mmCIF file with all atom_site columns, all heavy atoms in Angstrom:
data_model
loop_
_atom_site.group_PDB
_atom_site.id
_atom_site.type_symbol
_atom_site.label_atom_id
_atom_site.label_alt_id
_atom_site.label_comp_id
_atom_site.label_asym_id
_atom_site.label_entity_id
_atom_site.label_seq_id
_atom_site.pdbx_PDB_ins_code
_atom_site.Cartn_x
_atom_site.Cartn_y
_atom_site.Cartn_z
_atom_site.occupancy
_atom_site.B_iso_or_equiv
_atom_site.pdbx_formal_charge
_atom_site.auth_seq_id
_atom_site.auth_comp_id
_atom_site.auth_asym_id
_atom_site.auth_atom_id
_atom_site.pdbx_PDB_model_num
ATOM 1   N N   . GLY H 1 769 ? 118.528 -72.133 -51.405 1.00 97.00 ? 769 GLY H N   1
ATOM 2   C CA  . GLY H 1 769 ? 118.260 -72.760 -50.168 1.00 97.00 ? 769 GLY H CA  1
ATOM 3   C C   . GLY H 1 769 ? 116.957 -72.735 -49.595 1.00 97.00 ? 769 GLY H C   1
ATOM 4   O O   . GLY H 1 769 ? 116.625 -73.038 -48.637 1.00 97.00 ? 769 GLY H O   1
ATOM 5   N N   . GLY H 1 770 ? 116.085 -72.057 -50.424 1.00 97.00 ? 770 GLY H N   1
ATOM 6   C CA  . GLY H 1 770 ? 114.664 -71.956 -50.146 1.00 97.00 ? 770 GLY H CA  1
ATOM 7   C C   . GLY H 1 770 ? 114.241 -70.698 -49.470 1.00 97.00 ? 770 GLY H C   1
ATOM 8   O O   . GLY H 1 770 ? 113.084 -70.475 -49.017 1.00 97.00 ? 770 GLY H O   1
ATOM 9   N N   . HIS H 1 771 ? 115.195 -69.793 -49.128 1.00 97.00 ? 771 HIS H N   1
ATOM 10  C CA  . HIS H 1 771 ? 114.933 -68.474 -48.550 1.00 97.00 ? 771 HIS H CA  1
ATOM 11  C C   . HIS H 1 771 ? 114.517 -67.471 -49.641 1.00 97.00 ? 771 HIS H C   1
ATOM 12  O O   . HIS H 1 771 ? 115.143 -66.438 -49.754 1.00 97.00 ? 771 HIS H O   1
ATOM 13  C CB  . HIS H 1 771 ? 116.184 -68.039 -47.768 1.00 97.00 ? 771 HIS H CB  1
ATOM 14  C CG  . HIS H 1 771 ? 116.802 -68.999 -46.917 1.00 97.00 ? 771 HIS H CG  1
ATOM 15  N ND1 . HIS H 1 771 ? 116.132 -69.296 -45.644 1.00 97.00 ? 771 HIS H ND1 1
ATOM 16  C CD2 . HIS H 1 771 ? 117.840 -69.732 -46.897 1.00 97.00 ? 771 HIS H CD2 1
ATOM 17  C CE1 . HIS H 1 771 ? 116.871 -70.188 -45.030 1.00 97.00 ? 771 HIS H CE1 1
ATOM 18  N NE2 . HIS H 1 771 ? 117.890 -70.518 -45.845 1.00 97.00 ? 771 HIS H NE2 1
ATOM 19  N N   . ASN H 1 772 ? 113.240 -67.764 -50.203 1.00 97.00 ? 772 ASN H N   1
ATOM 20  C CA  . ASN H 1 772 ? 112.839 -67.081 -51.388 1.00 97.00 ? 772 ASN H CA  1
ATOM 21  C C   . ASN H 1 772 ? 112.385 -65.645 -51.095 1.00 97.00 ? 772 ASN H C   1
ATOM 22  O O   . ASN H 1 772 ? 112.365 -64.752 -51.922 1.00 97.00 ? 772 ASN H O   1
ATOM 23  C CB  . ASN H 1 772 ? 111.844 -67.772 -52.091 1.00 97.00 ? 772 ASN H CB  1
ATOM 24  C CG  . ASN H 1 772 ? 112.389 -68.929 -52.974 1.00 97.00 ? 772 ASN H CG  1
ATOM 25  O OD1 . ASN H 1 772 ? 113.215 -68.662 -53.785 1.00 97.00 ? 772 ASN H OD1 1
ATOM 26  N ND2 . ASN H 1 772 ? 112.041 -70.174 -52.592 1.00 97.00 ? 772 ASN H ND2 1
ATOM 27  N N   . ASP H 1 773 ? 112.047 -65.392 -49.790 1.00 97.00 ? 773 ASP H N   1
ATOM 28  C CA  . ASP H 1 773 ? 111.497 -63.957 -49.483 1.00 97.00 ? 773 ASP H CA  1
ATOM 29  C C   . ASP H 1 773 ? 112.587 -63.023 -49.097 1.00 97.00 ? 773 ASP H C   1
ATOM 30  O O   . ASP H 1 773 ? 112.245 -61.847 -48.889 1.00 97.00 ? 773 ASP H O   1
ATOM 31  C CB  . ASP H 1 773 ? 110.523 -64.252 -48.276 1.00 97.00 ? 773 ASP H CB  1
ATOM 32  C CG  . ASP H 1 773 ? 109.378 -65.009 -48.596 1.00 97.00 ? 773 ASP H CG  1
ATOM 33  O OD1 . ASP H 1 773 ? 108.991 -65.186 -49.954 1.00 97.00 ? 773 ASP H OD1 1
ATOM 34  O OD2 . ASP H 1 773 ? 108.693 -65.588 -47.812 1.00 97.00 ? 773 ASP H OD2 1
ATOM 35  N N   . VAL H 1 774 ? 113.833 -63.423 -49.123 1.00 98.00 ? 774 VAL H N   1
ATOM 36  C CA  . VAL H 1 774 ? 114.930 -62.488 -48.685 1.00 98.00 ? 774 VAL H CA  1
ATOM 37  C C   . VAL H 1 774 ? 115.062 -61.497 -49.874 1.00 98.00 ? 774 VAL H C   1
ATOM 38  O O   . VAL H 1 774 ? 115.468 -61.972 -50.978 1.00 98.00 ? 774 VAL H O   1
ATOM 39  C CB  . VAL H 1 774 ? 116.194 -63.161 -48.300 1.00 98.00 ? 774 VAL H CB  1
ATOM 40  C CG1 . VAL H 1 774 ? 117.254 -62.096 -47.985 1.00 98.00 ? 774 VAL H CG1 1
ATOM 41  C CG2 . VAL H 1 774 ? 115.988 -64.106 -47.202 1.00 98.00 ? 774 VAL H CG2 1
ATOM 42  N N   . LYS H 1 775 ? 114.855 -60.242 -49.813 1.00 98.00 ? 775 LYS H N   1
ATOM 43  C CA  . LYS H 1 775 ? 114.959 -59.326 -50.897 1.00 98.00 ? 775 LYS H CA  1
ATOM 44  C C   . LYS H 1 775 ? 116.224 -58.438 -50.787 1.00 98.00 ? 775 LYS H C   1
ATOM 45  O O   . LYS H 1 775 ? 116.808 -58.029 -51.798 1.00 98.00 ? 775 LYS H O   1
ATOM 46  C CB  . LYS H 1 775 ? 113.729 -58.249 -50.811 1.00 98.00 ? 775 LYS H CB  1
ATOM 47  C CG  . LYS H 1 775 ? 112.490 -58.950 -51.196 1.00 98.00 ? 775 LYS H CG  1
ATOM 48  C CD  . LYS H 1 775 ? 111.343 -57.884 -51.106 1.00 98.00 ? 775 LYS H CD  1
ATOM 49  C CE  . LYS H 1 775 ? 111.326 -57.010 -52.394 1.00 98.00 ? 775 LYS H CE  1
ATOM 50  N NZ  . LYS H 1 775 ? 110.131 -56.204 -52.519 1.00 98.00 ? 775 LYS H NZ  1
ATOM 51  N N   . ASP H 1 776 ? 116.763 -58.413 -49.603 1.00 98.00 ? 776 ASP H N   1
ATOM 52  C CA  . ASP H 1 776 ? 117.930 -57.521 -49.392 1.00 98.00 ? 776 ASP H CA  1
ATOM 53  C C   . ASP H 1 776 ? 118.634 -57.950 -48.187 1.00 98.00 ? 776 ASP H C   1
ATOM 54  O O   . ASP H 1 776 ? 118.020 -58.386 -47.203 1.00 98.00 ? 776 ASP H O   1
ATOM 55  C CB  . ASP H 1 776 ? 117.547 -56.096 -49.367 1.00 98.00 ? 776 ASP H CB  1
ATOM 56  C CG  . ASP H 1 776 ? 118.679 -55.154 -49.297 1.00 98.00 ? 776 ASP H CG  1
ATOM 57  O OD1 . ASP H 1 776 ? 119.619 -55.313 -49.966 1.00 98.00 ? 776 ASP H OD1 1
ATOM 58  O OD2 . ASP H 1 776 ? 118.679 -54.179 -48.351 1.00 98.00 ? 776 ASP H OD2 1
ATOM 59  N N   . ILE H 1 777 ? 119.927 -57.742 -48.106 1.00 98.00 ? 777 ILE H N   1
ATOM 60  C CA  . ILE H 1 777 ? 120.716 -57.832 -46.945 1.00 98.00 ? 777 ILE H CA  1
ATOM 61  C C   . ILE H 1 777 ? 121.668 -56.593 -46.863 1.00 98.00 ? 777 ILE H C   1
ATOM 62  O O   . ILE H 1 777 ? 122.225 -56.228 -47.945 1.00 98.00 ? 777 ILE H O   1
ATOM 63  C CB  . ILE H 1 777 ? 121.623 -59.114 -46.939 1.00 98.00 ? 777 ILE H CB  1
ATOM 64  C CG1 . ILE H 1 777 ? 120.697 -60.431 -46.979 1.00 98.00 ? 777 ILE H CG1 1
ATOM 65  C CG2 . ILE H 1 777 ? 122.427 -59.205 -45.572 1.00 98.00 ? 777 ILE H CG2 1
ATOM 66  C CD1 . ILE H 1 777 ? 121.552 -61.608 -47.237 1.00 98.00 ? 777 ILE H CD1 1
ATOM 67  N N   . LEU H 1 778 ? 121.658 -55.972 -45.827 1.00 98.00 ? 778 LEU H N   1
ATOM 68  C CA  . LEU H 1 778 ? 122.328 -54.669 -45.655 1.00 98.00 ? 778 LEU H CA  1
ATOM 69  C C   . LEU H 1 778 ? 123.852 -54.954 -45.887 1.00 98.00 ? 778 LEU H C   1
ATOM 70  O O   . LEU H 1 778 ? 124.480 -55.924 -45.264 1.00 98.00 ? 778 LEU H O   1
ATOM 71  C CB  . LEU H 1 778 ? 122.166 -54.208 -44.331 1.00 98.00 ? 778 LEU H CB  1
ATOM 72  C CG  . LEU H 1 778 ? 122.469 -52.673 -43.955 1.00 98.00 ? 778 LEU H CG  1
ATOM 73  C CD1 . LEU H 1 778 ? 121.639 -51.748 -44.882 1.00 98.00 ? 778 LEU H CD1 1
ATOM 74  C CD2 . LEU H 1 778 ? 122.278 -52.370 -42.497 1.00 98.00 ? 778 LEU H CD2 1
ATOM 75  N N   . MET H 1 779 ? 124.552 -54.105 -46.662 1.00 98.00 ? 779 MET H N   1
ATOM 76  C CA  . MET H 1 779 ? 125.992 -54.193 -46.780 1.00 98.00 ? 779 MET H CA  1
ATOM 77  C C   . MET H 1 779 ? 126.691 -53.532 -45.642 1.00 98.00 ? 779 MET H C   1
ATOM 78  O O   . MET H 1 779 ? 126.149 -52.579 -45.159 1.00 98.00 ? 779 MET H O   1
ATOM 79  C CB  . MET H 1 779 ? 126.436 -53.579 -48.097 1.00 98.00 ? 779 MET H CB  1
ATOM 80  C CG  . MET H 1 779 ? 125.999 -54.216 -49.390 1.00 98.00 ? 779 MET H CG  1
ATOM 81  S SD  . MET H 1 779 ? 126.881 -53.574 -50.869 1.00 98.00 ? 779 MET H SD  1
ATOM 82  C CE  . MET H 1 779 ? 126.134 -51.769 -50.976 1.00 98.00 ? 779 MET H CE  1
ATOM 83  N N   . PRO H 1 780 ? 127.775 -54.052 -45.474 1.00 98.00 ? 780 PRO H N   1
ATOM 84  C CA  . PRO H 1 780 ? 128.553 -55.144 -45.833 1.00 98.00 ? 780 PRO H CA  1
ATOM 85  C C   . PRO H 1 780 ? 127.853 -56.447 -45.338 1.00 98.00 ? 780 PRO H C   1
ATOM 86  O O   . PRO H 1 780 ? 127.277 -56.478 -44.206 1.00 98.00 ? 780 PRO H O   1
ATOM 87  C CB  . PRO H 1 780 ? 129.884 -55.093 -45.128 1.00 98.00 ? 780 PRO H CB  1
ATOM 88  C CG  . PRO H 1 780 ? 129.738 -54.346 -43.874 1.00 98.00 ? 780 PRO H CG  1
ATOM 89  C CD  . PRO H 1 780 ? 128.580 -53.443 -44.173 1.00 98.00 ? 780 PRO H CD  1
ATOM 90  N N   . LEU H 1 781 ? 127.899 -57.487 -46.122 1.00 98.00 ? 781 LEU H N   1
ATOM 91  C CA  . LEU H 1 781 ? 127.189 -58.770 -45.799 1.00 98.00 ? 781 LEU H CA  1
ATOM 92  C C   . LEU H 1 781 ? 127.959 -59.564 -44.823 1.00 98.00 ? 781 LEU H C   1
ATOM 93  O O   . LEU H 1 781 ? 128.674 -60.582 -45.074 1.00 98.00 ? 781 LEU H O   1
ATOM 94  C CB  . LEU H 1 781 ? 126.985 -59.499 -47.115 1.00 98.00 ? 781 LEU H CB  1
ATOM 95  C CG  . LEU H 1 781 ? 125.701 -59.230 -47.872 1.00 98.00 ? 781 LEU H CG  1
ATOM 96  C CD1 . LEU H 1 781 ? 125.744 -57.736 -48.230 1.00 98.00 ? 781 LEU H CD1 1
ATOM 97  C CD2 . LEU H 1 781 ? 125.517 -60.193 -49.061 1.00 98.00 ? 781 LEU H CD2 1
ATOM 98  N N   . THR H 1 782 ? 127.910 -59.049 -43.411 1.00 98.00 ? 782 THR H N   1
ATOM 99  C CA  . THR H 1 782 ? 128.539 -59.831 -42.407 1.00 98.00 ? 782 THR H CA  1
ATOM 100 C C   . THR H 1 782 ? 127.920 -61.149 -42.177 1.00 98.00 ? 782 THR H C   1
ATOM 101 O O   . THR H 1 782 ? 126.825 -61.352 -42.538 1.00 98.00 ? 782 THR H O   1
ATOM 102 C CB  . THR H 1 782 ? 128.549 -58.946 -41.140 1.00 98.00 ? 782 THR H CB  1
ATOM 103 O OG1 . THR H 1 782 ? 127.125 -58.860 -40.710 1.00 98.00 ? 782 THR H OG1 1
ATOM 104 C CG2 . THR H 1 782 ? 129.038 -57.558 -41.335 1.00 98.00 ? 782 THR H CG2 1
ATOM 105 N N   . SER H 1 783 ? 128.743 -61.833 -41.582 1.00 98.00 ? 783 SER H N   1
ATOM 106 C CA  . SER H 1 783 ? 128.177 -63.324 -41.255 1.00 98.00 ? 783 SER H CA  1
ATOM 107 C C   . SER H 1 783 ? 126.904 -63.354 -40.512 1.00 98.00 ? 783 SER H C   1
ATOM 108 O O   . SER H 1 783 ? 125.952 -64.049 -40.866 1.00 98.00 ? 783 SER H O   1
ATOM 109 C CB  . SER H 1 783 ? 129.214 -64.161 -40.573 1.00 98.00 ? 783 SER H CB  1
ATOM 110 O OG  . SER H 1 783 ? 130.449 -64.249 -41.173 1.00 98.00 ? 783 SER H OG  1
ATOM 111 N N   . GLU H 1 784 ? 126.857 -62.350 -39.525 1.00 98.00 ? 784 GLU H N   1
ATOM 112 C CA  . GLU H 1 784 ? 125.637 -62.317 -38.779 1.00 98.00 ? 784 GLU H CA  1
ATOM 113 C C   . GLU H 1 784 ? 124.423 -61.814 -39.627 1.00 98.00 ? 784 GLU H C   1
ATOM 114 O O   . GLU H 1 784 ? 123.361 -62.376 -39.483 1.00 98.00 ? 784 GLU H O   1
ATOM 115 C CB  . GLU H 1 784 ? 125.714 -61.417 -37.677 1.00 98.00 ? 784 GLU H CB  1
ATOM 116 C CG  . GLU H 1 784 ? 124.573 -61.251 -36.787 1.00 98.00 ? 784 GLU H CG  1
ATOM 117 C CD  . GLU H 1 784 ? 124.661 -60.748 -35.349 1.00 98.00 ? 784 GLU H CD  1
ATOM 118 O OE1 . GLU H 1 784 ? 125.796 -60.453 -34.932 1.00 98.00 ? 784 GLU H OE1 1
ATOM 119 O OE2 . GLU H 1 784 ? 123.619 -60.722 -34.631 1.00 98.00 ? 784 GLU H OE2 1
ATOM 120 N N   . ARG H 1 785 ? 124.711 -60.888 -40.464 1.00 98.00 ? 785 ARG H N   1
ATOM 121 C CA  . ARG H 1 785 ? 123.542 -60.391 -41.258 1.00 98.00 ? 785 ARG H CA  1
ATOM 122 C C   . ARG H 1 785 ? 122.958 -61.593 -42.137 1.00 98.00 ? 785 ARG H C   1
ATOM 123 O O   . ARG H 1 785 ? 121.802 -61.674 -42.443 1.00 98.00 ? 785 ARG H O   1
ATOM 124 C CB  . ARG H 1 785 ? 123.898 -59.207 -42.133 1.00 98.00 ? 785 ARG H CB  1
ATOM 125 C CG  . ARG H 1 785 ? 123.990 -57.941 -41.396 1.00 98.00 ? 785 ARG H CG  1
ATOM 126 C CD  . ARG H 1 785 ? 124.537 -56.710 -42.031 1.00 98.00 ? 785 ARG H CD  1
ATOM 127 N NE  . ARG H 1 785 ? 124.509 -55.583 -41.215 1.00 98.00 ? 785 ARG H NE  1
ATOM 128 C CZ  . ARG H 1 785 ? 125.200 -54.504 -41.460 1.00 98.00 ? 785 ARG H CZ  1
ATOM 129 N NH1 . ARG H 1 785 ? 126.024 -54.389 -42.547 1.00 98.00 ? 785 ARG H NH1 1
ATOM 130 N NH2 . ARG H 1 785 ? 125.224 -53.418 -40.717 1.00 98.00 ? 785 ARG H NH2 1
#
Side-chain angles (χ1 to χ4, degrees):
Chain H
H771 306 286
N772 282 300
D773 294 336
V774 179
K775 292 178 75 167
D776 183 46
I777 304 173
L778 197 63
M779 292 192 292
L781 273 61
T782 62
S783 302
E784 176 160 4
R785 284 175 178 161

